Amino acid sequence: MKIDMKQPILDKNDAIARELRERFAEHHVYVVDLLASPGSGKTSTILATIDALRDEFNIAVIEGDIASSVDAEKIKAQGIAAVQINTGGACHLESAMIKRAIDVLDLERLDLIIVENVGNLVCPTDFDLGENAKVMILSVPEGDDKPLKYPGVFQVSEAVILNKVDTMPVFNFNQEAFEESVNRLNPQAPIFPLSATTGEGLEAWTSWLAERIRKA
């Protein structure tokens, strides 16, 4: 006899996620769940996004890490509300964690919540957090073959950010092959090549996001 323990966990998670989605919609808050590997530049992308959008929108960040609060402190240093979630070893965030995190945020004053999920290309794809969109970040140094190795994360993402394009000359990264692989897996997802540190290509990504926030 085979007992599926995963489905009851997902069912409970999805029920809370539905509650969160209704709550976010009631307050017209747009929520982005960022998925990426460790070292892909999630935090630097968040900081660059905040810098580009903060004049128009009120933003908060939920930081997910196995341990430490290093990234949350970087966000707070920019005057942005940040809530740290330490999973204590779990490789992903769950909707119950997000529910506890938003209890300390004033949703009535927010337009955008960015969730920085735990660095992982597998586990977070199964867990609905009540977000409006999951967005995948891949950095050039990780290689152009990641859509072939981790198709699930690209399939669930509404947009894909290719970060650290300023390092393209240093690495053997085939951007055309990468984009073809992503388009086969998820033809609706736009791809935003950018460098969070230099600002190259950032406007296309933040314009796409801003349009969705305004409609929330």
Side-chain angles (χ1 to χ4, degrees):
M1 175 187 254
K2 182 179 180 181
I3 300 176
D4 185 359
M5 298 300 296
K6 181 180 179 181
Q7 196 57 49
I9 293 172
L10 291 177
D11 289 345
K12 181 179 179 180
N13 180 87
D14 290 349
I16 297 173
R18 285 192 293 272
E19 294 176 10
L20 288 172
R21 188 165 284 112
E22 291 174 1
R23 191 171 172 185
F24 294 142
E26 178 184 351
H27 290 90
H28 303 285
V29 179
Y30 193 86
V31 181
V32 176
D33 180 17
L34 287 182
L35 311 178
S37 298
S40 63
K42 291 193 300 298
T43 304
S44 60
T45 301
I46 290 171
L47 289 170
T49 301
I50 289 171
D51 190 52
L53 298 179
R54 66 187 304 163
D55 288 344
E56 181 177 357
F57 304 111
N58 292 320
I59 305 169
V61 177
I62 297 175
E63 285 285 346
D65 282 299
I66 291 175
S68 90
S69 60
V70 173
D71 292 337
E73 295 304 322
K74 292 178 182 177
I75 302 298
K76 290 178 182 177
Q78 301 304 311
I80 298 296
V83 181
Q84 181 68 52
I85 299 176
N86 290 131
T87 64
C91 60
H92 58 272
L93 294 177
E94 298 179 10
S95 59
M97 301 174 185
I98 301 300
K99 185 176 182 179
R100 291 193 296 271
I102 65 170
D103 284 342
V104 302
L105 295 173
D106 186 357
L107 294 183
E108 291 186 0
R109 300 184 62 182
L110 291 176
D111 304 301
L112 170 66
I113 296 176
I114 302 173
V115 178
E116 181 174 348
N117 217 309
V118 179
N120 191 308
L121 294 184
V122 180
C123 304
T125 61
D126 290 332
F127 288 84
D128 186 354
L129 303 182
E131 75 281 347
N132 295 90
K134 291 187 185 296
V135 174
M136 161 70 186
I137 302 177
L138 182 85
S139 65
V140 166
E142 295 174 75
D144 54 63
D145 60 349
K146 289 302 178 290
L148 304 177
K149 294 183 176 181
Y150 302 98
V153 69
F154 291 92
Q155 290 171 325
V156 303
S157 297
E158 292 199 20
V160 175
I161 293 173
L162 177 61
N163 193 21
K164 304 185 183 181
V165 294
D166 53 313
T167 69
M168 197 83 72
V170 181
F171 294 93
N172 185 25
F173 188 97
N174 189 327
Q175 185 173 348
E176 182 178 355
F178 169 76
E179 293 182 353
E180 287 178 357
S181 296
V182 173
N183 289 332
R184 281 197 300 270
L185 292 168
N186 191 347
Q188 286 77 39
I191 301 171
F192 297 104
L194 61 84
S195 169
T197 55
T198 69
E200 177 185 351
L202 188 68
E203 185 177 357
W205 151 245
T206 55
S207 295
W208 179 90
L209 180 57
E211 181 181 350
R212 280 147 183 80
I213 299 169
R214 295 184 192 110
K215 294 177 180 177

